[in-house]
Amino acid sequence: MVGALKGKDYISTQDWSKDELEMALELSAELKRMFKNGIPHRYLPDKTIFLMFFDKSTRTRNSFEAGITQLGGHAHFIEAATSQVAHGESAKDTGIILSSYGHGIAIRHDLVPGEGNAYMREIAKWADKPVINMQCDVDHPCQTLADLMTIREIFGKDLRGRKIAVSWAYAPSYAKPLSVPQGLIMLMPRFGLDVVLAHPPEFTLMDDVLKIAEANAREAGVTFEIVDDMDAAFEGADIVYPKSWGIEALFHKPDEALRIAEKYKDWICDERRMKLAKEEAIYMHCLPADRGNEVTDAVIDGPQSVVYQEAENRLHTAKAIMALTM
Ligand code: CP
């Protein structure tokens, strides 16, 4: 079964069956154990992955670079802006050529709705090596796999009857991509969580993604609900995941989106709101967080926060995806 994933793209969790995602989670846990015990795990000796970034990154870049080194391989960091992509080189040419030089291509292209996912799928069409999505406009499947790993480490594998609140929160720093909340609402119902999505009316997610989330919930026999009230979403939640995102139609006018967001400065995750969730509820965020806006220091640094465990699991899940597909 492990060999069955060699060469498979990982562009959305939706492209992988539940069994395939289970395999990735199991390998992530095994790689975590080996890493922590200093056990070598050079599963990809002398293999090369190309990491192409159209946007900034701390966790994703470094989890992939450290991860491939620990697996015995090597990463090339490619900043799209300083490569020939910036001069208009086609996805076809880039995909064919990079895949002839190495063993995998990973891409972050997340800031323009309608572009990143399509670009990755075009690269994948021409590349004869696996393409891994390091965050696009639609999904952030490396992040949500690490989130699911973290949730299962805390609550166990049987998540039925537990509720995750995925909520918009205010942030003045920049119009953040839609892909994390979208990835969460697509993936979490498949693994048994009831999902509540909360956002102000202007901050809707992509229609196609909402349809997938609804269908996944229906198929899994769990609930998927959308509300416009952060308090209501937090009521009785086991997991709260409040973060900011932009307005799909305004990514080319980010200042306008940020002005609209200012109406909702009270959408912050603070100690009062955490009390609405269950006593044992956990606070999650993919990071970077806008401290003092999306979340108070008391919450993100408090006993319910699992953000560092969640960020650490980015390493183990990135390694599992590379080891399975490359
Ligand atoms: N969560 C996440 O993807 O972090 P980076 O943007 O730092 O990669």
Side-chain angles (χ1 to χ4, degrees):
M1 186 71 178
V2 169
L5 292 173
K6 288 281 172 222
K8 190 171 173 83
D9 302 320
Y10 185 61
I11 296 180
S12 171
T13 56
Q14 200 62 25
D15 301 335
W16 282 31
S17 70
K18 233 184 122 192
D19 284 348
E20 289 169 339
L21 293 168
E22 284 287 2
M23 196 187 311
L25 288 163
E26 271 168 37
L27 182 57
S28 301
E30 178 64 5
L31 288 166
K32 183 171 186 172
R33 189 189 64 77
M34 288 195 279
F35 179 72
K36 288 195 176 287
N37 289 289
I39 300 167
H41 41 277
R42 296 170 62 84
Y43 294 161
L44 297 176
D46 307 320
K47 293 210 170 170
T48 301
I49 187 165
F50 300 97
L51 307 179
M52 186 187 290
F53 282 87
F54 291 74
D55 191 13
K56 300 167 185 61
S57 169
T58 298
R59 280 144 292 272
T60 306
R61 174 180 176 181
N62 289 293
S63 59
F64 271 85
E65 286 197 14
I68 190 72
T69 303
Q70 291 159 23
L71 291 167
H74 177 71
H76 288 200
F77 173 69
I78 303 168
E79 190 183 25
T82 55
S83 78
Q84 293 296 6
V85 172
H87 285 153
E89 180 152 9
S90 71
K92 174 181 175 179
D93 294 355
T94 305
I96 291 173
I97 292 160
L98 289 183
S99 68
S100 75
Y101 292 168
H103 308 88
I105 303 172
I107 304 169
R108 167 167 285 193
H109 190 333
D110 57 343
L111 286 177
V112 188
E115 286 190 10
N117 192 273
Y119 181 80
M120 289 175 197
R121 293 200 185 274
E122 184 64 13
I123 291 262
K125 183 173 142 189
W126 296 102
D128 62 4
K129 301 289 162 37
V131 171
I132 300 173
N133 178 357
M134 296 192 295
Q135 190 171 15
C136 71
D137 50 324
V138 178
D139 199 358
H140 192 351
C142 295
Q143 179 66 51
T144 57
L145 192 68
D147 294 340
L148 182 57
M149 178 181 183
T150 309
I151 290 168
R152 294 196 350 171
E153 285 174 340
I154 293 161
F155 292 114
K157 277 188 180 175
D158 183 6
L159 298 173
R160 227 151 251 283
R162 295 202 181 267
K163 166 180 161 180
I164 182 170
V166 178
S167 177
W168 186 87
Y170 172 69
S173 56
Y174 71 108
K176 301 186 185 190
L178 309 178
S179 43
V180 170
Q182 294 190 154
L184 290 169
I185 66 168
M186 288 191 285
L187 178 64
M188 295 309 167
R190 296 175 71 192
F191 286 83
L193 284 172
D194 293 323
V195 177
V196 180
L197 171 68
H199 58 73
E202 297 91 337
F203 291 85
T204 52
L205 298 178
M206 292 174 174
D207 284 343
D208 289 352
V209 168
L210 294 175
K211 285 189 188 115
I212 291 169
E214 280 159 12
N216 287 352
R218 212 169 27 248
E219 195 173 319
V222 298
T223 60
F224 173 60
E225 188 190 349
I226 305 177
V227 297
D228 61 2
D229 180 340
M230 199 173 183
D231 282 1
F234 272 45
E235 282 290 347
D238 298 276
I239 302 144
V240 297
Y241 203 129
K243 78 170 301 297
S244 189
W245 62 82
I247 295 177
E248 186 183 351
L250 290 180
F251 271 84
H252 59 298
K253 291 184 190 165
D255 292 347
E256 203 174 308
L258 289 175
R259 257 196 314 280
I260 293 168
E262 280 178 12
K263 290 195 286 182
Y264 305 108
K265 281 187 177 172
D266 59 335
W267 284 60
I268 182 170
C269 183
D270 57 12
E271 286 169 296
R272 181 194 70 76
R273 282 209 164 96
M274 285 304 294
K275 288 199 176 79
L276 299 172
K278 286 199 184 131
E279 209 175 316
E280 71 274 20
I282 56 169
Y283 164 83
M284 300 185 79
H285 194 295
C286 55
L287 304 180
D290 274 37
R291 285 169 175 256
N293 290 294
E294 289 178 291
V295 59
T296 61
D297 286 343
V299 171
I300 196 169
D301 295 328
Q304 290 169 283
S305 174
V306 298
V307 294
Y308 299 124
Q309 180 179 345
E310 182 184 0
E312 184 201 319
N313 284 337
R314 292 294 309 276
L315 172 70
H316 312 302
T317 47
K319 285 164 72 176
I321 296 297
M322 288 189 281
L324 287 169
T325 60
M326 284 174 57

